Amino acid sequence: MRRRILTLTAALALLLTGCTAGNEAPEDGVVRLRFQSLAWQKESVDANRQLVKEWNATHPDVQIDYVQGSWDSVHDQLLTSFEGGEAPDIIHDASDDLADFAYGGDLADLRPLLPERLRADIPARSWETTTFGEGIYGVPFLQEPRVFIANRKILESSGVRLPTPEKPWTWTEFRHITQDLTRTMGPGRYAVAWPLKEPVSVSLNLGLSAGGQLFHREADGRVTVRFTEADAVVPGTIHDQVVTDRTAPRTTLGSGGSDTLPGFFAGKYAMVPLGFAYRQQIAQQAPKGFEWMVLPAPAGDGGLTQGVSPQTLSIAEDSPYKKEAAAFLDFFLRPENMVRLARGDWMLPTGTTALADPSLHTARDGWATGAAVAERLRPAPAQSVRGYPEWKDKVATPAFQEYYSGAIDAAELRSRLVTDGNRVLARYQRK
């Protein structure tokens, strides 16, 4: 646990002012909890604020103060607030950002706090994403598979087989289809655009579908990197589409998902692999008459399996009102409320009751395709690996970027990920 150093001066001040710590009730009898939300789309912010309003209206003795946070700065902001003893009571984050805070003692172990209803409703595979050591340090509540957003007219007119969750494309078939599509589309147009500004999560999470794992935990608990033939399937497909087949443009490799949308709307790309939530942006920005559809990502030996890092809700270890915060989470994540949050964010709930809601299984906007894929989501491969952020930033990101652009070959990619990668991880696993 990170140690908060309380100076003698501060301690004396607390004594002189009569301040108290622990779970003693405030003077006015009203417990006030700060809830930092990272919702940013209007529909999502509205859903979050409305649920807080509903709680406050029915719980006069426990009031929630809504605090707006930002995904762009949340890690550094939380790090500073934890060190300064000013963290929000209830924290919205993502599971792949929790490891350092969980191991550092900043987050409360939720096992004795959460009601059985909530524990039972969320599958074990989702709880794995927020389990570090023996404790659970966040409630995974929203998840986002990666899907292919496609130009309906281009695909249907081409005559290629359209994939379904029941019969998806294989990665080999996907490569052949992009070759056929690119030939029919004409010069300067491509079957697929890969926005790979953040190439590591895409490569690893989709790699699970081909049976890749990359990170392997040994009998002594240590994690090592091994790059097998299964790990090479997805990166090899992307590399060949860009470098060999020319069915994907090199120019989008450094782009974010939103950067590819103008070209997608203009018919320059027939498909773009994107997170499920991008459907909202597409629905709002697509030109009149533009028809789009949602397709499942290709599958290999692992089927439709994908890695995912769900959005999470945690309670600060320093909060004096953990039981009250847990009660709010129980309310906030009731099945009907989880559906509201999922629809507001255009994502999918983790709870099995909420995921079964009919509104999440409609053909409109591809909800049904996403819901089908949701059953195959698994913890991201590096979910609990100490040292992963450094491995990602210093080793994997530049290696994948160079490989996808054609600057290095597969042997060099493997060498960097394994040799350089294990050197990084070893520093975090010394006994």
Side-chain angles (χ1 to χ4, degrees):
M1 177 180 289
R2 292 191 181 95
R3 299 182 180 276
R4 275 67 170 189
I5 300 175
L6 185 64
T7 64
L8 178 60
T9 302
L12 288 173
L14 284 172
L15 291 172
L16 291 172
T17 56
C19 292
T20 59
N23 292 319
E24 296 182 21
E27 292 183 3
D28 62 359
V30 178
V31 171
R32 288 183 169 81
L33 303 173
R34 288 187 300 148
F35 166 37
Q36 178 170 291
S37 170
L38 301 181
W40 62 276
Q41 300 186 93
K42 183 180 183 304
E43 291 179 51
S44 181
V45 172
D46 289 347
N48 276 259
R49 286 187 175 277
Q50 181 59 34
L51 287 173
V52 168
K53 183 178 179 181
E54 292 173 13
W55 167 275
N56 286 341
T58 55
H59 296 78
D61 295 336
V62 181
Q63 294 288 284
I64 306 295
D65 294 330
Y66 183 94
V67 179
Q68 186 63 60
S70 170
W71 285 108
D72 294 335
S73 59
V74 63
H75 182 84
D76 291 340
Q77 179 262 321
L78 286 175
L79 185 63
T80 301
S81 66
F82 283 132
E83 292 290 357
E86 298 178 348
D89 299 274
I90 301 164
I91 299 162
H92 183 186
D93 203 349
S95 61
D96 59 357
D97 192 41
L98 299 185
D100 288 344
F101 299 133
Y103 287 120
D106 296 309
L107 303 177
D109 183 354
L110 301 180
R111 288 177 299 170
L113 298 170
L114 296 178
E116 180 57 28
R117 176 205 68 78
L118 188 57
R119 288 284 299 271
D121 192 50
I122 295 175
R125 63 178 181 272
S126 294
W127 286 117
E128 289 177 19
T129 67
T130 57
T131 299
F132 302 94
E134 297 297 322
I136 294 175
Y137 296 94
V139 182
F141 72 109
L142 290 180
Q143 54 192 349
E144 182 181 22
R146 189 166 295 273
V147 294
F148 279 59
I149 310 295
N151 183 314
R152 180 183 294 275
K153 290 183 179 179
I154 291 178
L155 261 69
E156 290 185 344
S157 64
S158 71
V160 302
R161 182 182 77 82
L162 298 181
T164 65
E166 296 74 28
K167 193 176 181 182
W169 289 327
T170 65
W171 283 101
T172 300
E173 184 182 10
F174 171 57
R175 184 182 174 188
H176 292 326
I177 282 173
T178 56
Q179 292 171 340
D180 294 340
L181 273 175
T182 301
R183 282 194 293 268
T184 62
M185 291 175 66
R189 303 169 78 193
Y190 302 87
V192 61
W194 285 97
L196 293 175
K197 185 177 181 180
E198 301 288 343
V200 181
S201 62
V202 175
S203 305
L204 269 59
N205 289 341
L206 286 181
L208 290 182
S209 69
Q213 187 176 347
L214 201 66
F215 294 95
H216 300 264
R217 192 170 297 275
E218 310 299 337
D220 62 359
R222 298 191 180 199
V223 176
T224 58
V225 181
R226 295 201 296 270
F227 192 82
T228 67
E229 290 185 8
D231 294 300
V233 170
V234 172
T237 300
I238 298 172
H239 168 274
D240 290 345
Q241 287 176 328
V242 174
V243 178
T244 306
D245 304 339
R246 306 295 175 88
T247 57
R250 198 184 306 263
T251 53
T252 65
L253 293 178
S255 301
S258 297
D259 300 327
T260 63
L261 295 185
F264 177 61
F265 294 147
K268 188 174 182 179
Y269 321 124
M271 295 178 285
V272 184
L274 295 169
F276 198 54
Y278 273 94
R279 296 171 305 126
Q280 183 187 41
Q281 191 173 344
I282 292 170
Q284 293 175 343
Q285 298 180 5
K288 186 176 181 180
F290 183 85
E291 297 182 25
W292 55 279
M293 60 195 306
V294 177
L295 306 176
D301 291 343
L304 289 175
T305 303
Q306 287 187 33
V308 67
S309 298
Q311 292 187 23
T312 58
L313 292 171
S314 301
I315 297 174
E317 174 61 27
D318 281 353
S319 174
Y321 304 112
K322 296 182 181 66
K323 290 183 179 179
E324 292 83 355
F328 172 71
L329 293 187
D330 185 32
F331 162 81
F332 196 72
L333 299 178
R334 290 176 183 171
E336 64 272 21
N337 293 341
M338 203 181 279
V339 172
R340 292 164 65 181
L341 293 167
R343 292 191 64 82
D345 240 337
W346 286 62
M347 296 176 70
L348 295 165
T350 58
T352 54
T353 305
L355 188 58
D357 189 276
S359 68
L360 303 179
H361 291 261
T362 62
R364 182 178 175 84
D365 296 329
W367 280 105
T369 298
V373 174
E375 298 179 1
R376 300 304 303 274
L377 298 180
R378 297 294 181 269
Q383 193 70 54
S384 60
V385 175
R386 302 297 301 272
Y388 169 73
E390 182 179 345
W391 176 86
K392 181 186 72 171
D393 293 341
K394 294 184 178 180
V395 177
T397 294
F400 276 119
Q401 287 175 336
E402 291 181 50
Y403 177 61
Y404 290 144
S405 70
I408 63 174
D409 62 14
E412 179 65 18
L413 173 68
R414 177 182 286 104
S415 175
R416 291 197 193 180
L417 295 179
V418 176
T419 305
D420 296 346
N422 282 326
R423 190 177 297 119
V424 169
L425 296 187
R427 294 203 309 272
Y428 289 83
Q429 301 182 91
R430 289 172 182 161
K431 293 185 178 179

